[in-house]
Amino acid sequence: MIPAQFDYVAPTTVEEALAALRQYGDDAKLLAGGQSLLPVLRMRLNAPEWIIDLGRIDSLRGVREDGDAIVIGAMTPHSVVGSDPLVAQHAALVTKAVAELADAQIRHRGTFGGALAHADPAGDLGGPVRALDAEFVIAGANGTRTVSADDFFVDLFETAISEDEILTEVRIPKHTGWGAHHEKMVRVAHQWPICAVAATARVEGGTIADIGIGLANMGNTPLRAGGVEEALRGQPATEDSVRAACARAAEGTSPPSDLNGSADYRNHVVQVMCRRAVMGALEGAGA
Amino acid sequence: MTRINLTVDGMKVSDDVEPRMLLVQYLREKLGKTGTVIGCDTSNCGACTVHLDGQSVKSCNVLAVQADGSAVTTIEGLAGKDGTLHPVQEAFRECHGLQCGFCTPGMIMQSVDLLNNNPHPSEQEIREGLEGNLCRCTGYHNIVRAVQYASGHLAAAATPTGAAEEVTPA
Ligand SMILES: Cc1cc2nc3c(=O)[nH]c(=O)nc-3n(C[C@H](O)[C@H](O)[C@H](O)COP(=O)(O)OP(=O)(O)OC[C@H]3O[C@@H](n4cnc5c(N)ncnc54)[C@H](O)[C@@H]3O)c2cc1C
Ligand code: FES
Ligand code: FES
């Protein structure tokens, strides 16, 4: 119920936080919204000696426009991302996924960067950021570096962020005018998906001009349904072509088998959900 | 120990706490605000819901040190100073939105948050807005009615003509 003892620092700048990380190294853990970390600490699955709270660093919070990208600060709470008009206009897939993530209380505290850094393969945001070709800005001792969504997710709960680094923001190329749909299957309300498909598409004159599809809980990391995307680019935006293409949704997946469903079941259901997600995205794009 | 200063139900408090102390523990054990209850170990049940700077949070999943500098409202701070029930409390009483009552403090706090963000929720929006709060007794039916009732009465209070749709207790 109660975490093991730890010491606590709450820096007010990224530089101070990085210095604290360098000082306490392996013994420290970053705290964002705490909505995944605090349950872990309470169940004593982890017992860091130091907690470095990013909650007092104002520069990590907020959504802004930067040329052809929307930039979401790592510490922006889900509830703020979910109601942000810029995000809704230029990255509608994120708005839709956030609306279905956890519950209202968790969305008030949990953060966009925290959820992605946590890299739960069943997390609701991994699919969307992959489908939208997001980029991750990571700060370290030698300045910042940018990592593509394809390279960010390394393995179960493992990302490209190293132990002495901090995720500062996520840049999403504007997908203005793209339709979007998030298809999530859950066993009970306010929980992680058994499987989820996030699709966003641009339609020109009845043809699918471009499309991005991300999958959650279909492998150790969020995946991209590359086969389906390839099969759909340049095709007519019709149910027949979508149905045929979505037969490829399970290509390259390695889903878990657990109490909620076997791997075979997930590989089947992902095709159905992919069709629904793509049809929803096409409808949103005016097809 | 870390020094924290915050406002709880309108009262300024200042304490030295262990950083690992949860906000719900602080409220219950240090301040004696046992109206806020603990129903689970996994942050699923919502019984511990309070408002932190005006927004609902699960106080079992927030450290007391994270609330430093903030204003917390618990179920004990919802009624008026003279004891007048908050319209949502009144609605839960009127519609019998409870049986054992264990989930009720959290249900009420989350319902207030829901109505703050969406004064006229549909039944579906009420059910979704309360998805982070579990009730083992009522089957949710009267809880949903209570929120509908409160929605009508809050709107009636805001618009003296009472244009809002009335929901009568079941
Ligand atoms: C009851 C419940 C239901 C939930 N349901 C869902 C759901 O349906 N879908 C879903 O996707 N999620 C769900 N979540 C998880 C939620 O999305 C969390 O908000 C999220 O996983 C973690 O975000 P956080 O800001 O709380 O991060 P924290 O818990 O504070 O941190 C998570 C991890 O990321 C690291 N970290 C955080 N920020 C950074 C950073 N800037 N740089 C480097 N490392 C960092 C931390 O060190 C920690 O290891 C649920 C949680 C709960 C408690
Ligand atoms: S006690 Fe906080 S959610 Fe159950
Ligand atoms: S009234 Fe008993 S848990 Fe809700």
Side-chain angles (χ1 to χ4, degrees):
Chain A
M1 176 67 216
I2 301 162
Q5 266 181 352
F6 54 77
D7 285 313
Y8 173 85
V9 276
T12 54
T13 65
V14 173
E15 290 67 33
E16 281 170 34
L18 286 169
L21 264 184
R22 276 197 298 280
Q23 190 177 347
Y24 307 123
D26 284 355
D27 301 329
K29 200 86 184 113
L30 295 172
L31 173 67
Q35 300 305 290
S36 291
L37 183 58
L38 291 180
V40 164
L41 298 185
R42 280 157 39 207
M43 288 181 271
R44 307 269 176 123
L45 298 174
N46 196 341
E49 283 173 27
W50 283 88
I51 287 290
I52 304 169
D53 184 358
L54 302 177
R56 311 274 164 189
I57 308 179
D58 290 339
S59 66
L60 291 179
R61 220 180 292 270
V63 178
R64 64 190 162 87
E65 206 170 1
D66 183 11
D68 53 10
I70 292 300
V71 184
I72 303 178
M75 287 297 293
T76 314
H78 299 310
S79 55
V80 172
V81 173
S83 59
D84 188 276
L86 283 174
V87 176
Q89 192 186 349
H90 303 295
L93 187 54
V94 168
T95 308
K96 301 218 163 159
V98 167
E100 296 191 328
L101 183 155
D103 54 51
Q105 294 98 315
I106 305 287
R107 288 195 295 270
H108 283 145
R109 293 295 295 170
T111 67
F112 196 72
L116 290 165
H118 190 55
D120 186 330
D124 280 307
L125 299 180
V129 295
R130 289 212 61 186
L132 290 164
D133 287 311
E135 290 182 327
F136 292 76
V137 181
I138 300 171
N142 306 315
T144 63
R145 62 193 180 101
T146 302
V147 175
S148 73
D150 293 349
D151 294 331
F152 181 76
F153 299 101
V154 176
D155 206 342
L156 278 176
F157 300 102
E158 195 183 329
T159 68
I161 310 170
S162 23
E163 294 213 330
D164 55 354
E165 291 182 315
I166 296 173
L167 174 66
T168 56
E169 58 192 29
V170 180
R171 301 175 65 88
I172 303 177
K174 283 185 187 166
H175 285 62
T176 321
W178 289 50
H181 188 88
H182 187 244
E183 188 74 20
K184 173 173 177 173
M185 184 169 64
V186 287
R187 191 170 55 82
V188 290
H190 87 106
Q191 287 292 355
W192 292 263
I194 295 169
C195 162
V197 182
T200 188
R202 185 165 63 84
V203 174
E204 263 172 31
T207 298
I208 301 174
D210 206 352
I211 185 157
I213 305 170
L215 310 177
N217 220 8
M218 290 301 293
N220 283 357
T221 63
L223 300 177
R224 206 163 163 158
V228 182
E229 292 177 3
E230 186 187 273
L232 281 174
R233 282 196 192 98
Q235 293 301 307
T238 62
E239 176 140 22
D240 284 347
S241 48
V242 172
R243 185 182 294 273
C246 288
R248 297 180 62 181
E251 269 178 22
T253 61
S254 52
S257 282
D258 57 27
L259 287 174
N260 292 318
S262 65
D264 281 350
Y265 173 72
R266 283 189 166 89
N267 276 333
H268 168 75
V269 87
V270 74
Q271 300 173 43
V272 179
M273 293 174 63
C274 192
R275 171 163 47 84
R276 292 183 191 157
V278 172
M279 288 311 294
L282 294 179
E283 197 180 311
Chain B
M1 290 286 188
T2 303
R3 190 83 186 162
I4 57 170
N5 298 287
L6 61 164
T7 307
V8 179
D9 294 337
M11 189 180 74
K12 281 198 169 14
V13 289
S14 180
D15 267 301
D16 287 320
V17 298
E18 274 193 306
R20 64 169 168 167
M21 179 173 256
L22 305 172
L23 179 58
V24 70
Q25 270 182 291
Y26 177 69
L27 295 172
R28 288 176 58 85
E29 294 169 19
K30 280 264 189 177
L31 302 183
K33 298 224 170 235
T34 50
T36 302
V37 295
I38 300 172
C40 74
D41 258 346
T42 51
S43 296
N44 276 285
C45 77
C48 65
T49 301
V50 301
H51 295 180
L52 185 58
D53 292 327
Q55 288 189 318
S56 62
V57 302
K58 293 180 172 176
S59 61
C60 70
N61 218 15
V62 178
L63 297 171
V65 287
Q66 288 178 290
D68 182 27
S70 294
V72 176
T73 306
T74 77
I75 187 71
E76 298 184 37
L78 216 49
K81 283 217 163 57
D82 60 354
T84 317
L85 293 184
H86 183 279
V88 176
Q89 290 175 306
E90 185 62 43
F92 270 70
R93 201 187 63 148
E94 198 60 39
C95 298
H96 199 62
L98 60 138
Q99 286 178 24
C100 80
F102 198 83
C103 69
T104 313
M107 280 291 177
I108 289 179
M109 295 312 285
Q110 183 51 30
S111 299
V112 173
D113 184 86
L114 166 67
L115 292 171
N116 282 345
N117 292 313
N118 180 2
H120 303 292
S122 65
E123 180 184 339
Q124 185 64 23
E125 286 169 336
I126 294 172
R127 289 184 184 276
E128 281 172 8
L130 298 178
E131 70 185 328
N133 293 71
L134 303 181
C135 175
R136 298 285 86 153
C137 303
T138 64
Y140 302 97
H141 185 75
N142 283 0
I143 292 174
V144 173
R145 285 198 78 81
V147 179
Q148 289 171 321
Y149 181 92
S151 163
H153 281 252
L154 282 165
T159 43
T161 48
E165 192 190 331
E166 278 281 308
V167 172
T168 44

